[in-house]
Amino acid sequence: MAKKTITDFQVQGKKVIVRVDFNVPVDKERRITDDTRIVGALPTLEALLQQGAAVIVVSHFGRPRGAPEDAFRLDKVAEHLQQLIPYKVHYCPEFVGPVAQAAAAALPYGELLLLDNSRFDPREEKNDPQLAQELAAYGEIFINDAFGAAHRAHATTAGIAAFLPSGAGYLMQKELEFMQPLLTKHPGRNFVSIVGGSKVSDKIAVLKNMLDLVDSLLIGGGMANTFLLAQGYAMGASLVEPDLVATAQEIMALAAEKGVELLLPLDLVCATEVKAGVETKIVPVATGLAEEERALDIGPLTIELFKGAIAKADTIMWNGPVGVFEISEFATGTLALAKALGEAKATTVIGGGDTAAAVQQSGYGGKMSHISTGGGASLEFLEGKVLPGVASLNEK
């Protein structure tokens, strides 16, 4: 780590502002349905509290319109956090302002204060330096543990670091320690990248950047459809991006030029509708899909092809499911790959978002080397972009 981390600071008797990513999924009653991101921040929060810091926690939640909205308050998150740690958790129904300022000033050491949604202030997403300075006045040290928001140049992810000594929390440090080696070419390493998801347009930069790093590139999901169309196969009613056929052809040519093995589906699980209980059929890619058929998962021949590449790898990065895994009829491919990665001897790094959800659904989450908490952040990192929430932290 070139950046300072939590271990580089003496925090006893200090007020420490910690940026976390508590943007967790909730149901209609605002009950938390997946607390992975909260649990991921616990090592940092508990370490600071144990050492006698007063911890002021900041997070965004959802997409409010720059003003307080009850649907996006963090009171339920505070209640859930209190159930997870043996330290007193206070909740402030304000982000910045006189109420928040008073709550931060009165916070005892060894206790935690969760301020309300940072996006209730319209200055947050504009990375307004005045807002960052107002918030910085509440503490003496800034720790960023929100990898999931590190690709955003916002006041609480990047701006505040200009006003306080700053470093990475344990979760941010872990994310970077697993992700950084993926961007370095290692002689003798067999590196396989699995890229799925629905659209090529979302991941053009990732695909091109990975071609300089990987030995094998496995493409599945909806984005594989455009590559198959570019090879001249009939894709029926499948999701395709005709305007990106030339881009797909360019990526395939680049892979061949760089000696990268690029694997595409050999067969597909198809149906005429994307819904549970629908009749499915396996269609060889070479046969082509009928006009009304949609490709919604990879077929058994493709699963075996991909598993062969996985078995030879010693490093695997997976970003994007290879089918509509939320519906059981189209989950077989994604779950089979999760099982293969879980049983592999390789270092396995899982991109956040849908891929992380699919891996947890498979029951093999605990077998992975690392599951990222940031879908968008991990994508931009793999594109080779600088993450503002990391760049702004102090160097060691």
Side-chain angles (χ1 to χ4, degrees):
M1 284 286 293
K3 297 293 183 179
K4 284 190 174 181
T5 70
I6 188 172
T7 55
D8 292 310
F9 296 97
Q10 170 55 252
V11 300
Q12 185 175 4
K14 299 284 180 68
K15 294 205 166 171
V16 182
I17 299 172
V18 183
R19 178 52 156 101
V20 297
D21 182 5
F22 283 174
N23 187 28
V24 292
V26 295
D27 63 17
K28 290 178 181 176
E29 279 72 48
R30 296 173 59 229
R31 289 178 299 221
I32 295 163
T33 56
D34 181 357
D35 67 355
T36 301
R37 286 177 169 171
I38 299 174
V39 171
L42 294 184
T44 292
L45 300 179
E46 292 188 318
L48 293 169
L49 292 164
Q50 192 174 12
Q51 291 174 60
V55 179
I56 300 158
V57 178
V58 178
S59 179
H60 73 287
F61 178 68
R63 296 187 178 277
R65 291 160 289 194
E69 295 180 46
D70 288 346
F72 296 107
R73 291 200 178 275
L74 287 169
D75 52 332
K76 298 292 186 185
V77 173
E79 291 170 12
H80 191 83
L81 180 60
Q82 183 64 86
Q83 295 170 12
L84 298 175
I85 60 173
Y87 301 92
K88 179 65 179 172
V89 174
H90 304 267
Y91 161 71
C92 177
E94 186 176 79
F95 169 48
V96 286
V99 175
Q101 188 176 15
L107 181 65
Y109 297 107
E111 297 186 11
L112 182 150
L113 171 66
L114 176 62
L115 299 178
D116 218 335
N117 195 338
S118 64
R119 289 185 180 172
F120 284 171
D121 192 311
R123 298 175 294 171
E124 156 74 321
E125 295 183 72
K126 295 173 184 173
N127 194 12
D128 184 283
Q130 179 62 38
L131 172 61
Q133 192 168 14
E134 284 176 37
L135 182 62
Y138 298 174
E140 297 157 273
I141 296 168
F142 173 62
I143 297 294
N144 193 344
D145 212 26
F147 180 77
H151 58 311
R152 310 283 189 204
H154 291 171
T156 63
T157 58
I160 189 174
F163 300 98
L164 290 174
S166 59
Y170 288 126
L171 178 61
M172 177 77 83
Q173 182 179 354
K174 183 186 177 194
E175 293 272 12
L176 295 173
E177 285 175 348
F178 271 99
M179 301 290 282
Q180 191 68 52
L182 301 180
L183 296 181
T184 308
K185 187 80 173 174
H186 293 283
R189 175 178 71 173
N190 189 321
F191 182 11
V192 169
S193 179
I194 307 167
V195 183
S198 57
K199 293 182 178 180
V200 178
S201 51
D202 294 338
K203 297 179 181 174
I204 293 170
V206 171
L207 292 169
K208 288 183 176 178
N209 200 45
M210 295 307 280
L211 288 177
D212 287 322
L213 303 165
V214 302
D215 299 284
S216 299
L217 180 61
L218 284 49
I219 299 178
M223 66 186 310
N225 299 340
T226 300
F227 281 84
L228 295 171
L229 184 66
Q231 290 184 327
Y233 296 116
M235 296 307 298
S238 302
L239 172 67
V240 291
E241 295 174 279
D243 55 327
L244 288 177
V245 162
T247 302
Q249 289 169 337
E250 179 196 352
I251 289 168
M252 289 187 284
L254 275 172
E257 184 184 309
K258 293 174 185 287
V260 173
E261 177 184 48
L262 192 151
L263 301 181
L264 291 166
L266 301 175
D267 56 349
L268 300 159
V269 178
C270 300
T272 56
E273 294 178 272
V274 190
K275 67 176 187 180
V278 71
E279 185 180 340
T280 65
K281 64 187 280 193
I282 295 162
V283 179
V285 167
T287 304
L289 278 64
E291 192 176 329
E292 70 282 359
E293 291 174 338
R294 302 183 186 191
L296 299 168
D297 192 11
I298 57 172
L301 290 177
T302 307
I303 291 171
E304 292 307 311
L305 176 70
F306 285 8
K307 280 168 65 176
I310 289 165
K312 293 183 290 185
D314 47 48
T315 302
I316 304 165
M317 171 69 201
W318 183 13
N319 194 300
V322 295
V324 186
F325 76 96
E326 298 88 348
I327 298 172
S328 61
E329 283 82 359
F330 314 117
T332 303
T334 297
L335 299 181
L337 294 192
K339 182 175 186 286
L341 264 69
E343 294 174 348
K345 293 176 182 175
T347 298
T348 49
V349 181
I350 309 300
D354 288 343
T355 323
V359 166
Q360 297 292 12
Q361 182 181 312
S362 76
Y364 283 88
K367 301 286 188 182
M368 304 301 165
S369 306
H370 180 62
I371 300 176
S372 179
T373 54
S378 62
L379 263 184
E380 292 202 13
F381 196 86
L382 293 173
E383 288 176 20
K385 289 183 178 177
V386 173
L387 303 184
V390 176
S392 61
L393 301 177
N394 294 156
E395 300 288 328
K396 275 192 184 292

